């Protein structure tokens, strides 16, 4: 998924508004940039990659004349005319409209789901308690990642917005999963694994990723790679919370013909299982969040880094779904399996976070040493 789709401006768009072109020193100082190659052709890709175009390229005219000639609307562009300003304002408006349209649709779907949940909870308040209890392990894990942030603990506002957005966007995942399930249901043997690997895990991890990318990612307080883990964990927490409630309500509703006792028993068992499942969502999206943080501070390779993070999250998620759907697990053995599976991937993520913390401490110590040396020099 192109990462730039969610940003206010892509790097390429930013550079395309810069009409200054290469400096005179760049034109005069590097013959490969200023003189035609043999055969009368101008070198289009400078070795230093300093051009404003893709991959650091210059337009042939811009490369030679950009420092001395006004090439506005010929080979360069900037906001000069009323039409230019209209285009800039319209672009900004369309970006905002895209963002808020997405959020508005998600909010509508969420309100519809919430109304149904509220009706059941009003009739049977214990369902609300079961749903809340089922989220506690995921909450504890997300809180751990927040508490262990070695740089600076993330503020409440961007975390709260990420949490709410992940709940809202879960509605999109629910719709896609429901629509696509029958399509893969007709495929024998491999239909279910394909459904998990091609639909369920990708859409769920993408909506959780989007809940970070739309707001927290652009916040200046998202100022370290490791912050992605925190926001990823919060996104997973929000998704797990709404999903747990939906599962509990669905089981309670489906058991209605068997009587109230059977309904409460089914809801209780579901809450028990979902308490073990919730931390998985936190871990999956924490992986994707880590790589989103890595991408923020490595913009030249932002796209591949984001995709790598999503691929890891999707694989772990889809593999879990496939295993629990094919292995002959009871309620007890499922809990054991979840402890082992989630624990393994938590260990992998922990080692990644621990490595970052190690280098962060090393950087802090080095910075302190350099500052101490500088202070000593000033003293002399």
């Amino acid at each position: 998924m192109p990462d730039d789709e969610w940003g206010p401006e892509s790097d390429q768009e930013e550079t395309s508004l810069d009409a200054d072109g290469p400096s005179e020193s760049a034109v005069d100082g590097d013959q490969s940039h200023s003189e035609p190659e043999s055969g009368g052709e101008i070198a289009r890709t400078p070795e230093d990659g300093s051009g404003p175009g893709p991959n650091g390229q210059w337009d042939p005219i811009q490369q030679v004349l950009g420092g001395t000639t006004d090439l506005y609307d010929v080979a360069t562009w900037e906001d000069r005319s009323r039409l230019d300003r209209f285009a800039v304002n319209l672009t900004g408006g369309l970006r905002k409209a895209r963002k808020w349209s997405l959020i508005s649709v998600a909010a509508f779907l969420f309100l519809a789901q919430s109304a149904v949940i509220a009706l059941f909870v009003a009739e049977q308040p214990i369902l609300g308690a079961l749903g809340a209890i089922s989220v506690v392990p995921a909450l504890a894990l997300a809180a751990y990642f927040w508490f262990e942030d070695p740089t600076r603990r993330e503020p409440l506002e961007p975390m709260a917005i990420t949490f709410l957005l992940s709940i809202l966007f879960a509605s999109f995942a629910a719709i896609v999963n429901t629509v696509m399930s029958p399509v893969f249901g007709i495929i024998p043997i491999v239909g279910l694994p394909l459904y998990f690997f091609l639909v369920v895990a990708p859409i769920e991890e993408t909506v959780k990723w989007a809940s970070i990318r739309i707001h927290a990612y652009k916040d200046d307080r998202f100022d370290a790679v490791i912050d992605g883990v925190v926001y990823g964990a919060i996104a997973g927490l929000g998704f797990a919370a709404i999903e747990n409630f939906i599962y509990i309500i669905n089981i309670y509703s489906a058991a209605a013909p068997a009587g109230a006792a059977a309904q409460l028993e089914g809801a209780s068992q579901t809450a028990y299982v979902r308490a073990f499942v919730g931390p998985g969502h936190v871990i999956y999206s924490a992986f994707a969040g880590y790589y989103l943080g890595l991408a923020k501070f490595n913009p030249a390779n932002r796209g591949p880094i984001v995709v790598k993070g999503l691929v890891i999250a999707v694989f772990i998620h889809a593999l879990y779904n496939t295993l629990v759907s094919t292995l002959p697990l009871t309620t007890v053995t499922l809990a054991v399996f979840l402890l082992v599976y989630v624990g393994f991937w938590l260990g992998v993520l922990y080692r990644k976070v621990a490595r970052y913390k190690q280098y962060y401490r090393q950087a802090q110590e080095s910075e302190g040493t350099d500052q101490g040396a500088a202070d000593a020099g000033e003293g002399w």
Side-chain angles (χ1 to χ4, degrees), residues 272 276 329-343:
Y272 166 77
F276 289 93
L329 300 172
T330 64
T331 302
V332 175
T333 57
L334 174 60
V336 174
F337 168 80
L338 286 170
L339 285 174
V340 173
Y341 188 83
V342 173

Side-chain angles (χ1 to χ4, degrees), residues 74-161:
V74 177
T76 63
W77 191 88
E78 62 184 0
D79 177 4
R80 290 190 185 180
S81 68
R82 292 181 180 179
L83 181 57
D84 293 339
R85 287 189 289 276
F86 173 77
V88 171
N89 293 333
L90 181 59
T91 300
L94 290 174
R95 288 195 181 105
K96 291 180 180 179
R98 179 182 59 187
K99 171 183 173 180
W100 288 107
S101 296
L102 180 67
I103 294 176
S104 297
V105 173
F108 173 78
L109 296 173
F110 168 72
L111 289 174
Q113 288 182 331
S114 299
V116 174
I117 293 174
L119 289 175
F120 279 95
V121 173
E123 176 188 338
Q124 193 62 261
I126 193 174
L127 295 177
L130 289 173
I133 292 171
S134 71
V135 180
V136 170
L139 174 61
L141 185 56
Y144 168 78
F145 285 125
W146 174 78
F147 185 80
E148 287 295 311
D149 185 343
T151 57
R152 179 183 61 180
R153 291 174 188 164
E154 299 309 299
L156 179 61
E157 182 259 342
M159 290 197 301
I161 292 177

Side-chain angles (χ1 to χ4, degrees), residues 43 73 97 111 117 130 165 167 169-170 182 234 236 240 266 274 285 296 336 341 372 374:
D73 237 19
L111 289 174
I117 293 174
L130 289 173
L165 287 175
I167 292 177
F169 292 164
I234 295 298
R274 297 303 303 180
S285 53
K296 182 171 185 176
V336 174
Y341 188 83

Side-chain angles (χ1 to χ4, degrees), residues 291-316:
Y291 282 94
L292 181 58
L294 188 63
K296 182 171 185 176
F297 296 94
N298 294 273
N301 295 301
R302 182 168 57 185
I305 295 172
V306 167
V307 169
K308 179 180 179 180
L310 284 171
V311 166
I312 292 172
V314 166
F315 173 78
I316 301 172

Side-chain angles (χ1 to χ4, degrees), residues 11-45:
D11 297 333
Q12 186 174 333
E13 289 168 337
E14 291 172 356
T15 53
S16 68
L17 297 178
D18 182 2
D20 293 334
S23 64
E24 291 185 17
S25 61
V27 174
D28 296 336
D30 188 344
Q31 295 300 318
S32 66
H33 295 189
S34 59
E35 294 183 1
E37 294 179 342
S38 60
E41 295 184 359
I42 299 173
R44 294 176 180 238
T45 308

Side-chain angles (χ1 to χ4, degrees), residues 38-337:
S38 60
E41 295 184 359
I42 299 173
R44 294 176 180 238
T45 308
E47 293 177 2
D48 61 8
S50 60
N55 301 319
Q57 293 175 306
W58 298 104
D59 174 84
I61 300 174
Q62 185 184 19
Q63 178 183 327
V64 178
L65 302 178
T68 58
T69 305
D70 183 4
L71 298 176
Y72 164 73
D73 237 19
V74 177
T76 63
W77 191 88
E78 62 184 0
D79 177 4
R80 290 190 185 180
S81 68
R82 292 181 180 179
L83 181 57
D84 293 339
R85 287 189 289 276
F86 173 77
V88 171
N89 293 333
L90 181 59
T91 300
L94 290 174
R95 288 195 181 105
K96 291 180 180 179
R98 179 182 59 187
K99 171 183 173 180
W100 288 107
S101 296
L102 180 67
I103 294 176
S104 297
V105 173
F108 173 78
L109 296 173
F110 168 72
L111 289 174
Q113 288 182 331
S114 299
V116 174
I117 293 174
L119 289 175
F120 279 95
V121 173
E123 176 188 338
Q124 193 62 261
I126 193 174
L127 295 177
L130 289 173
I133 292 171
S134 71
V135 180
V136 170
L139 174 61
L141 185 56
Y144 168 78
F145 285 125
W146 174 78
F147 185 80
E148 287 295 311
D149 185 343
T151 57
R152 179 183 61 180
R153 291 174 188 164
E154 299 309 299
L156 179 61
E157 182 259 342
M159 290 197 301
I161 292 177
T162 299
F163 178 81
L164 292 174
L165 287 175
S166 66
I167 292 177
L168 296 180
F169 292 164
S171 303
F172 290 130
I175 291 174
V176 174
N177 292 345
T178 301
V179 171
M180 297 301 296
S181 179
V183 176
F184 288 85
I186 63 176
I187 303 176
I189 303 176
V190 297
L192 192 59
L194 287 176
Y195 173 60
F196 292 141
F197 275 93
L198 300 181
V199 178
V200 175
I203 186 63
E204 293 187 1
E205 295 309 318
T206 298
V207 298
K208 289 188 288 181
W209 173 88
S211 69
I212 311 168
R213 184 64 177 86
I214 281 181
H215 179 76
Y217 177 87
K218 295 182 284 187
D219 195 303
D220 291 338
R221 291 167 291 185
F222 189 138
D223 57 1
V225 171
I226 202 69
D227 293 346
V229 173
V230 178
Y231 290 111
I234 295 298
L237 173 63
F239 192 96
I242 187 63
E243 188 178 64
N244 284 7
F245 270 98
I246 291 173
Y247 268 90
I248 292 170
I249 295 298
N250 285 345
I251 294 298
Y252 178 84
S253 178
Q263 285 182 291
L264 290 178
E265 181 181 359
S268 299
Q269 289 181 347
T270 302
Y272 166 77
V273 172
R274 297 303 303 180
F276 289 93
V277 174
H281 274 299
V282 172
I283 293 170
Y284 311 150
S285 53
F287 270 105
Y290 178 87
Y291 282 94
L292 181 58
L294 188 63
K296 182 171 185 176
F297 296 94
N298 294 273
N301 295 301
R302 182 168 57 185
I305 295 172
V306 167
V307 169
K308 179 180 179 180
L310 284 171
V311 166
I312 292 172
V314 166
F315 173 78
I316 301 172
H317 189 163
L319 180 61
Y320 156 76
N321 283 353
T322 301
L323 291 176
V324 298
S325 300
T326 55
L327 295 176
L329 300 172
T330 64
T331 302
V332 175
T333 57
L334 174 60
V336 174
F337 168 80

